[in-house]
Amino acid sequence: MERRRIVCDAKLCTGCRLCEFACSLTKERQFALELSRIRIVQAGLGQTTATLCRFCRNLSCVNACPRQALTYSADTATIELDKGRCAGCGWCIEACPFGAMVLDGRTKTVAVCDVCYGLSEPACVELCPQKALTVQALNKA
């Protein structure tokens, strides 16, 4: 499967947060910004952008997990979580240089973007009214 990630054009992002709502609804079946795998951040005075998993080559989050709960799947080209192994320690969150890992307070496990694997278009990209979000193919690992 082709490796891909979602990128944000900060010049187009208005900070409306619809992408966060689309993500939480798609992944968790509820409007809960804290459960969104995409985050709107203030990039500068009056400028916002979105941050989410960039599927780094070194996979610092996967390597930091002491329980091997995170793995990179070549089949799905995403980072997968074994919830039974995840203790919610947060080491992966600390290791991520982009702040892309989320701790689900209900389940005490982490969540990470999977580019809406299985859907033709990621929900956040589809719903963005400014078309600030796009899917980008990555070079093979």
Side-chain angles (χ1 to χ4, degrees):
M1 168 144 264
E2 178 183 63
R3 289 181 65 223
R4 23 183 238 156
R5 69 178 177 190
I6 299 167
V7 294
C8 179
D9 182 341
K11 294 178 197 139
L12 297 176
C13 180
T14 63
C16 70
R17 303 185 94 155
L18 286 175
C19 56
E20 292 177 313
F21 283 113
C23 179
S24 68
L25 183 62
T26 301
K27 294 298 182 183
E28 302 298 331
R29 302 289 181 232
Q30 60 180 313
F31 291 115
L33 295 178
E34 67 276 8
L35 299 177
S36 176
R37 278 96 165 136
I38 185 170
R39 299 275 189 220
I40 296 299
V41 295
Q42 193 76 26
L45 187 59
Q47 188 175 23
T48 56
T49 190
T51 185
L52 62 165
C53 186
R54 296 187 185 188
F55 298 98
C56 310
R57 284 192 187 274
N58 67 355
L59 300 171
S60 56
C61 60
V62 172
N63 294 327
C65 182
R67 299 182 61 148
Q68 291 79 46
L70 294 171
T71 55
Y72 177 77
S73 169
D75 292 338
T76 64
T78 63
I79 295 171
E80 295 180 350
L81 171 71
D82 180 342
K83 286 187 176 188
R85 289 178 157 256
C86 181
C89 69
W91 287 23
C92 57
I93 295 169
E94 291 293 323
C96 177
F98 305 106
M101 304 295 291
V102 180
L103 182 64
D104 183 337
R106 302 165 308 155
T107 63
K108 304 293 188 247
T109 60
V110 296
V112 63
C113 177
D114 64 1
V115 197
C116 283
Y117 177 75
L119 297 180
S120 59
E121 181 89 290
C124 60
V125 173
E126 189 174 347
L127 197 61
C128 180
Q130 300 301 317
K131 303 299 179 212
L133 300 173
T134 55
V135 177
Q136 177 186 67
L138 296 172
N139 295 333
K140 294 194 184 232

